[in-house]
């Protein structure tokens, strides 16, 4: 169709000509380099474009078959070598594309060879014998490859402009490569028409109009790719959960919008999930109970630790009372308090809460008593030490800047957090013993204050986290170097706390699973750290990321930290809490049902909406048993309102649903 249109418009078309010398086009106004992933033009000027090409982990091979298919289909096979997936679709009657993919480890175990096509089709045909149903595989230079993730800092140089895969690649698992290229071609055409006498202005308009969209698609593709790189982790799930995970892997598809396509399928997913815990099949995942030791949560929504910076001498007050009790009345399953310091010099700011005096115990107990007497919410406390990030101003008064008269800071190594904060003292063994005793005393104080659970702060670059990351721990003694050595002090702290806390009460630990910086903590480190805390008695791990170093470059977005929680939960086999730009009940249900976490922690959504959970319950038409009698009359207003709003939103989504062109 495109060739026909070009002919109609008088465009001269030339095929099968390798362009190795651009000098033949020196008189052209614009040279469009749309010569694919391996673009020779882009490679020639890679420094000018700022080209980066990163080969992804998995191996894949592109084959064809005569097997007819009535829809895009994934076929998964678990073998003695590992898991394989076939991405398949019919492109014309009697012909279909089959892309086979597996991890590099699986590929090596199966003894594949990059260019041995005959060996490849013999082995693949045997693995997918049932799916191929007697149809042959067809090769076309079908060599095993690793997907190249292509990015360019600039999309043009002089009169040359990049288009299609030469400019940016999106992994084939989201099927957007051609769409992306066509949309960019349209934008380039529009830009040239709008700037007919100014090529550089046209290129600038083209890049400004498309870069953000392209990078968004690339991010979604990378999230999807990440799922396929860890298929062996996901195949352990029950069938419906596994299938649901495939469909929701890029985070764009959710539990709710799947129901618009097929109401019966999400019901099957939810029914399987609830059957495992023996509750009603229709109970929304977010409102199912969850147990840790003898603590049973009424739902799986957690209030994340959020510093209030409103204490005086570490003593919480009326502000904290309303902050926590209103969210408890609002129906949150578990509250985890703001980081609470184990000592005066362990605070982040002079206005942080503490738990190292009797007066602090009493002030906290006022809050826990109210919550226990008037709600079904459980409350845990996060105990920590600020380390090298201490003695700073409140965030709204110049956060990450030192106070006027700072106390001495401690850390694993003498590395300041930023250029404004003081260089911390490298901890000695005596310092470590002192810190351990303070954590133990704070643990006993937390029990006396009536907390149901304790979470140990070992994330975001604070004291214990500074031992775990190689960016902040450059020690040469037994507490530095290998991850096993870096773990020694944090595990000693946790073990001492676990021994001091009654055995019926659970303990959590919050870790940073990525530093978002070069040479930071690795996946292997995170797994080792999680396994060590599990062995030390951790009941659940709250998986966070970042804030280890000031020069971090996080890749944020909706539900952006869930893959890290997924990694820990389904590799170490320990319950996890996830967080990170999670905004609504649909996202919460989706995360729980695809097995990425056991609890979902909300921070900012709860700051201005203490009744987030009540609104979500009404939205889901779920009737909890913990609404206070004083507030019960409000349900006659809230539930019909939320039902009406949900109906309106679903109507809009159905109106926007793409038209089906499937023939009857």
């Amino acid at each position: 169709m495109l060739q026909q249109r070009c002919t109609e418009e008088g465009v001269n078309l030339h095929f099968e000509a390798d362009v190795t010398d651009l000098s033949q086009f020196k008189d052209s106004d614009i040279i469009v380099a749309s010569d694919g992933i391996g673009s020779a033009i882009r490679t020639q000027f890679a420094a000018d474009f700022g080209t980066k090409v990163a080969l992804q982990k998995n191996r894949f091979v592109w084959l064809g078959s005569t097997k007819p298919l009535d829809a895009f289909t994934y076929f998964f096979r678990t073998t003695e070598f590992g898991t394989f997936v076939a991405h398949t679709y019919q492109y014309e009657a009697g012909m279909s594309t089959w892309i086979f993919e597996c991890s590099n480890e699986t590929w090596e175990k199966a003894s594949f060879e990059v260019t041995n096509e005959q060996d490849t089709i013999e082995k693949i045909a045997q693995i997918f014998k049932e799916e191929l149903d007697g149809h042959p595989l067809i090769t076309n230079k079908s060599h095993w490859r690793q997907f190249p993730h292509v990015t360019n800092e600039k999309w043009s140089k002089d009169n040359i402009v990049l288009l299609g895969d030469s400019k940016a690649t999106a992994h084939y698992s989201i099927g957007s490569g051609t769409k992306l290229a066509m949309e960019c071609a349209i934008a380039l055409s529009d830009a040239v028409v709008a700037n007919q006498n100014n090529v550089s202005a046209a290129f600038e308009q083209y890049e400004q109009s498309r870069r953000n969209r392209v990078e968004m698609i690339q991010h979604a593709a990378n999230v999807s790719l990440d799922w396929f790189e860890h298929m062996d982790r996901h195949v352990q799930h029950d069938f419906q959960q596994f299938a649901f995970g495939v469909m929701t892997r890029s985070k764009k598809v959710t539990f709710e919008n799947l129901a618009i396509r097929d109401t019966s399928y999400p019901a099957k997913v939810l029914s399987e999930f609830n059957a495992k815990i023996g509750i009603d099949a229709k109970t929304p995942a977010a409102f199912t109970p969850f147990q840790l030791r003898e603590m049973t949560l009424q739902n799986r929504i957690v209030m994340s630790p959020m510093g209030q910076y409103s204490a005086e001498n570490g003593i919480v007050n009326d502000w904290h009372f309303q902050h926590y009790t209103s969210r408890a009345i609002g129906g949150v399953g578990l509250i985890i308090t703001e980081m609470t310091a184990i000592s005066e010099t362990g605070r982040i700011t002079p206005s942080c809460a503490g738990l190292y005096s009797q007066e602090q115990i009493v002030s906290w107990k006022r809050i826990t008593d109210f919550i226990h007497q008037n709600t079904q919410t459980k409350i845990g406390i996060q105990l920590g030490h600020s380390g090298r990030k201490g003695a700073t101003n409140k965030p709204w008064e110049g956060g990450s800047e030192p106070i006027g008269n700072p106390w001495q800071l401690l850390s694993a190594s003498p590395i300041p957090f930023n250029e404004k904060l003081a260089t911390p003292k490298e901890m000695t063994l005596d310092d470590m013993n002192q810190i351990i005793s303070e954590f133990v005393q704070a643990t006993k104080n937390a029990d006396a204050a009536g907390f149901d659970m304790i979470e140990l702060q070992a994330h975001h670059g604070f004291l214990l986290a500074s031992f775990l990351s190689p960016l902040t721990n450059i020690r040469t003694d037994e507490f530095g170097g290998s991850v096993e050595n870096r773990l020694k002090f944090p595990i000693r702290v946790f073990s001492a706390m676990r021994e001091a806390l009654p055995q019926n009460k659970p303990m959590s630990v919050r870790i940073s699973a990525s530093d978002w910086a070069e040479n930071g903590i690795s996946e292997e480190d995170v797994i080792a750290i999680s396994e060590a805390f599990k062995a030390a008695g951790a009941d659940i791990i709250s998986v966070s990321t970042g804030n280890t170093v000031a020069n971090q470059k996080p890749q944020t977005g909706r539900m952006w930290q869930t893959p890290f929680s997924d990694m820990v939960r389904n590799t170490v086999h320990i319950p996890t809490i996830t967080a990170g730009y999670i905004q609504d009940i649909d996202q919460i249900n989706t995360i729980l049902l695809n097995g990425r976490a056991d609890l979902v922690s909300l921070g900012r959504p709860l700051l201005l909406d203490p009744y987030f959970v009540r609104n979500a319950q009404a939205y889901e038409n779920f009737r909890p048993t913990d609404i206070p009698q004083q507030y019960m009359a409000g349900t006659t207003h809230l539930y019909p309102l939320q039902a009406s709003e949900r109906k309106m939103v679903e109507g809009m989504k159905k109106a926007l649903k793409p038209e089906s062109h499937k023939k009857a």
Side-chain angles (χ1 to χ4, degrees), residues 298 303 320-337 364-380 449-452 626:
Q298 61 177 334
M303 178 178 172
H320 301 86
F321 184 86
Q322 73 78 32
H323 176 64
Y324 293 113
T325 60
S326 61
R327 276 75 185 174
I329 292 172
V332 170
L334 172 66
I335 290 171
I336 302 180
T337 71
W364 275 118
K365 194 169 189 305
R366 175 176 171 239
I367 295 172
T368 61
D369 283 350
F370 180 93
I371 290 173
H372 292 145
Q373 291 165 13
N374 295 281
T375 78
Q376 293 180 25
T377 296
K378 304 300 182 185
I379 180 168
F451 285 100
D452 302 297
D626 70 319

Side-chain angles (χ1 to χ4, degrees), residues 111-137:
S111 300
F112 282 108
E113 299 172 48
V114 172
T115 61
N116 192 335
E117 293 180 320
Q118 188 59 38
D119 178 70
T120 292
I121 61 174
E122 286 176 4
K123 290 176 178 175
I124 289 291
Q126 183 60 38
I127 293 171
F128 289 90
K129 181 179 180 180
E130 182 178 334
E131 290 78 9
L132 289 165
D133 192 26
H135 289 267
L137 288 171

Side-chain angles (χ1 to χ4, degrees), residues 15-250:
F15 298 95
E16 299 182 13
D18 289 334
V19 178
T20 56
D21 182 8
L22 291 182
S23 64
Q24 59 186 300
F25 305 117
K26 62 180 182 297
D27 296 327
S28 300
D29 295 305
I30 296 174
I31 299 173
V32 181
S34 55
D35 49 341
I37 286 180
S39 172
I41 299 174
R42 183 200 65 220
T43 302
Q44 183 179 345
F45 301 106
D48 297 285
F49 291 121
T51 304
K52 293 180 181 178
V53 181
L55 292 180
Q56 304 301 319
K57 299 176 185 177
N58 275 10
R59 298 272 186 170
F60 72 95
V61 63
W62 207 291
L63 296 162
S65 178
T66 57
K67 165 76 175 181
L69 296 166
D70 62 0
F72 186 99
T73 309
Y74 288 119
F75 295 112
F76 293 88
R77 280 287 168 191
T78 301
T79 72
E80 61 184 302
F81 313 113
T83 304
F84 290 83
V85 61
H87 309 246
T88 69
Y89 55 92
Q90 185 166 299
Y91 61 88
E92 65 178 44
M95 294 299 293
S96 52
T97 295
W98 291 64
I99 307 168
F100 298 96
E101 182 176 4
C102 63
S103 69
N104 186 62
E105 182 181 10
T106 297
W107 186 83
E108 290 179 344
K109 286 181 179 179
S111 300
F112 282 108
E113 299 172 48
V114 172
T115 61
N116 192 335
E117 293 180 320
Q118 188 59 38
D119 178 70
T120 292
I121 61 174
E122 286 176 4
K123 290 176 178 175
I124 289 291
Q126 183 60 38
I127 293 171
F128 289 90
K129 181 179 180 180
E130 182 178 334
E131 290 78 9
L132 289 165
D133 192 26
H135 289 267
L137 288 171
I138 303 166
T139 62
N140 181 15
K141 293 184 179 179
S142 301
H143 299 164
W144 286 94
R145 293 182 285 164
Q146 292 166 280
F147 187 81
H149 179 67
V150 176
T151 59
N152 288 279
E153 293 176 6
K154 294 177 62 180
W155 291 359
S156 61
K157 167 191 160 42
D158 301 329
N159 66 336
I160 304 171
V161 63
L162 301 176
L163 184 67
D165 283 347
S166 68
K167 168 180 57 59
T169 56
H171 190 254
Y172 52 80
S173 63
I174 66 168
S176 291
T178 302
K179 178 176 181 288
L180 205 59
M182 294 299 293
E183 289 174 344
C184 286
I186 292 167
L188 177 58
S189 173
D190 290 344
V192 171
V193 170
N195 300 273
Q196 295 186 29
N197 300 313
N198 191 333
V199 171
S200 62
F203 290 170
E204 184 178 352
Q205 177 182 321
Y206 161 59
E207 185 166 346
Q208 285 182 347
S209 67
R210 290 297 299 167
R211 179 172 284 278
N212 184 57
R213 180 61 179 164
V214 168
E215 290 178 350
M216 285 174 61
I217 294 293
Q218 283 191 297
H219 176 73
N222 285 344
V223 174
S224 173
L225 166 65
D226 179 81
W227 191 94
F228 284 102
E229 287 181 340
H230 298 100
M231 289 184 292
D232 289 322
R233 178 195 304 164
H234 304 300
V235 292
Q236 64 188 300
H237 294 320
D238 292 336
F239 175 75
Q240 298 292 357
Q241 187 172 63
F242 173 76
F244 183 71
V246 176
M247 287 188 243
T248 60
R249 67 189 182 278
S250 71

Side-chain angles (χ1 to χ4, degrees), residues 199-387:
V199 171
S200 62
F203 290 170
E204 184 178 352
Q205 177 182 321
Y206 161 59
E207 185 166 346
Q208 285 182 347
S209 67
R210 290 297 299 167
R211 179 172 284 278
N212 184 57
R213 180 61 179 164
V214 168
E215 290 178 350
M216 285 174 61
I217 294 293
Q218 283 191 297
H219 176 73
N222 285 344
V223 174
S224 173
L225 166 65
D226 179 81
W227 191 94
F228 284 102
E229 287 181 340
H230 298 100
M231 289 184 292
D232 289 322
R233 178 195 304 164
H234 304 300
V235 292
Q236 64 188 300
H237 294 320
D238 292 336
F239 175 75
Q240 298 292 357
Q241 187 172 63
F242 173 76
F244 183 71
V246 176
M247 287 188 243
T248 60
R249 67 189 182 278
S250 71
K251 301 182 290 188
K252 288 192 171 186
V253 176
T254 64
F255 183 78
E256 271 185 35
N257 58 35
L258 268 179
I260 293 174
R261 293 160 172 80
D262 178 4
T263 55
S264 67
Y265 177 67
K268 294 175 185 176
V269 176
L270 181 60
S271 178
E272 180 188 81
F273 182 86
N274 287 348
K276 289 186 287 187
I277 51 179
I279 63 169
D280 182 81
K282 295 182 179 180
T283 301
F287 304 128
T288 58
F290 189 75
Q291 186 163 346
L292 293 168
R293 299 206 181 205
E294 295 181 17
M295 181 184 77
T296 300
L297 305 180
Q298 61 177 334
N299 63 58
R300 298 179 184 235
I301 301 176
V302 180
M303 178 178 172
S304 186
M306 293 177 285
Q308 296 301 290
Y309 310 104
S310 301
E312 296 180 13
N313 298 317
I315 301 168
V316 294
N317 49 45
D318 287 349
W319 176 265
H320 301 86
F321 184 86
Q322 73 78 32
H323 176 64
Y324 293 113
T325 60
S326 61
R327 276 75 185 174
I329 292 172
V332 170
L334 172 66
I335 290 171
I336 302 180
T337 71
E338 60 203 277
M339 190 285 278
T340 302
I342 59 168
S343 66
E344 187 175 7
T345 55
R347 294 175 296 170
I348 302 170
T349 77
S351 298
C352 285
L355 195 48
Y356 45 86
S357 74
Q358 184 60 37
E359 194 173 358
Q360 291 164 354
I361 295 172
V362 171
S363 63
W364 275 118
K365 194 169 189 305
R366 175 176 171 239
I367 295 172
T368 61
D369 283 350
F370 180 93
I371 290 173
H372 292 145
Q373 291 165 13
N374 295 281
T375 78
Q376 293 180 25
T377 296
K378 304 300 182 185
I379 180 168
I381 188 167
Q382 186 186 85
L383 295 177
H385 189 292
S386 58

Side-chain angles (χ1 to χ4, degrees), residues 428-543:
T428 65
L429 193 57
D430 286 342
D431 293 327
M432 294 182 196
N433 291 333
Q434 176 63 30
I435 292 294
I436 291 171
S437 68
E438 290 172 351
F439 267 108
V440 168
Q441 186 57 56
T443 299
K444 295 175 180 177
N445 293 348
D447 183 47
F451 285 100
D452 302 297
M453 170 181 162
I454 290 178
E455 178 170 278
L456 177 62
Q457 178 211 55
H459 72 303
H460 285 187
F462 295 111
L463 183 63
L464 298 185
S466 72
F467 278 83
L468 297 175
S469 172
L471 297 178
T472 51
N473 184 344
I474 56 173
R475 300 173 72 103
T476 57
D477 62 4
E478 62 175 308
F479 299 101
S482 68
V483 67
E484 290 78 16
N485 283 357
R486 286 182 272 131
L487 264 165
K488 285 182 179 179
F489 176 57
I491 288 296
R492 282 181 60 192
V493 171
F494 185 92
S495 299
M497 293 171 68
R498 180 66 271 180
E499 186 176 346
L501 187 68
Q503 289 302 300
N504 65 309
K505 292 188 175 183
M507 274 193 68
S508 167
V509 58
R510 189 166 184 178
I511 64 171
S512 285
S514 172
D515 293 328
W516 299 114
E518 190 175 356
N519 299 318
I521 202 164
S522 67
E523 285 189 6
E524 293 74 20
D525 287 348
V526 174
I527 296 303
I529 289 166
S530 300
E531 287 176 338
F533 278 115
K534 178 183 177 181
D539 301 288
I540 192 167
I541 296 178
S542 182
V543 185

